[in-house]
Amino acid sequence: MDVTPDLQSLNTLFDARHSCRAFRPEPVPRAVIEDILRTAQKVPSWCNAQPWKVTVCSGAEADRVRAALLKAAEGGGHSPDLPFPDGYSAEYQQRRRDCGWALYEAVGVQKGDRAGSARQMMENYRLFGAPHCAILSSPAELGSYGAMDCGGFVAAFTLAARAAGVASIPQAAVASFAPLLHELLEIPDDRIILCAISFGYGDEDHPANSFRTSRAALEDFADWRG
Ligand SMILES: Cc1cc2nc3c(=O)[nH]c(=O)nc-3n(C[C@H](O)[C@H](O)[C@H](O)COP(=O)(O)O)c2cc1C
């Protein structure tokens, strides 16, 4: 790539990041978490509203969230504040399948093994063993644009974390139990819960962390005019 050193460094950072699905138990020092948050908040937002708020749960509090999610997940009853997609079709369905199968193959779940895939799905509610979990919310009145700004925050958080040697994973699955999280963590109802970001030091030898996702070719998403 014929790029500036800055873009090269940025690409090195992007390439080093991946969604981590198995963590070691050691906590990340509070000062490091604060540095990650101060870096992530540098993203742009419409009117500089900075709609994100994070409820950062660590130690026993993260375990309390984990236990409550696991219990809720056994009973079903998903109720996200932000409606989940109506469906994934065409290339979106293909990419969703590809990353799902890559994960299942990595952890040894065969096609058709419903019990195995359900067990892996439940790992979401165990927060993949992460010692920390940040619940991300946005003011309801800002609607989709608040959510859009928060998407930028998620990307920046995961990259800042990687730069600090911390692994992470955004989790919409956790947001499917929004009412429980509002109650458990006293997150006011005038905020919508968008996702969790579980984080900590990655267990890089774990099979769940052994695969990487790919990205579409430039011509598949860039439409040039003029
Ligand atoms: C908003 C958002 C929500 C996500 N929710 C989940 C989730 O609930 N469970 C999960 O295992 N991965 C989740 N992911 C991770 C994606 O599957 C992952 O980013 C994608 O497959 C690309 O892989 P990579 O992050 O390793 O590059 C989420 C990612 C984003 C950005």
Side-chain angles (χ1 to χ4, degrees):
M1 240 191 315
D2 181 21
V3 296
T4 62
D6 274 355
L7 188 52
Q8 203 143 24
S9 313
L10 192 58
N11 267 283
T12 303
L13 181 59
F14 269 84
D15 291 343
R17 187 212 59 82
H18 68 93
S19 288
C20 178
R21 294 185 178 84
F23 292 86
R24 304 202 314 255
E26 310 91 86
V28 177
R30 170 74 175 257
V32 175
I33 302 175
E34 288 182 4
D35 284 344
I36 293 168
L37 291 171
R38 283 198 197 94
T39 304
Q41 72 171 166
K42 293 182 182 180
V43 289
S45 59
W46 195 6
C47 307
N48 198 26
Q50 306 170 61
W52 43 80
K53 271 205 170 116
V54 281
T55 305
V56 185
C57 304
S58 304
E61 191 61 3
D63 288 340
R64 195 169 74 100
V65 171
R66 202 181 331 263
L69 286 169
L70 281 167
K71 191 163 172 239
E74 274 162 17
H78 301 259
S79 183
D81 286 345
L82 187 70
F84 278 13
D86 291 335
Y88 289 80
S89 56
E91 67 265 46
Y92 310 112
Q93 184 186 47
Q94 191 57 49
R95 290 171 191 157
R96 184 172 189 235
R97 282 187 178 150
D98 288 349
C99 79
W101 285 123
L103 171 61
Y104 289 147
E105 201 182 345
V107 296
V109 173
Q110 311 295 320
K111 276 191 182 158
D113 176 1
R114 282 170 183 263
S117 53
R119 213 177 315 117
Q120 182 56 40
M121 181 62 196
M122 286 299 273
E123 277 296 294
N124 271 286
Y125 306 115
R126 214 178 60 77
L127 308 174
F128 300 108
H132 308 276
C133 167
I135 306 296
L136 178 67
S137 67
S138 176
E141 66 172 353
L142 268 61
S144 303
Y145 278 91
M148 183 189 278
D149 293 341
C150 286
F153 182 89
V154 170
F157 182 102
T158 61
L159 287 164
R162 180 64 268 154
V166 173
S168 65
I169 180 165
Q171 291 182 267
V174 169
S176 68
F177 293 106
L180 171 110
L181 296 169
H182 278 288
E183 195 188 325
L184 199 66
L185 299 171
E186 295 174 18
I187 298 171
D189 286 338
D190 61 358
R191 302 192 65 79
I192 51 174
I193 293 175
L194 297 171
C195 69
I197 309 176
S198 290
F199 62 97
Y201 297 110
D203 177 356
E204 293 304 334
D205 296 330
H206 193 285
N209 288 330
S210 66
F211 73 99
R212 295 293 179 269
T213 53
S214 63
R215 295 297 184 266
L218 189 60
E219 55 269 27
D220 288 338
F221 71 96
D223 182 11
W224 306 95
R225 311 288 171 99

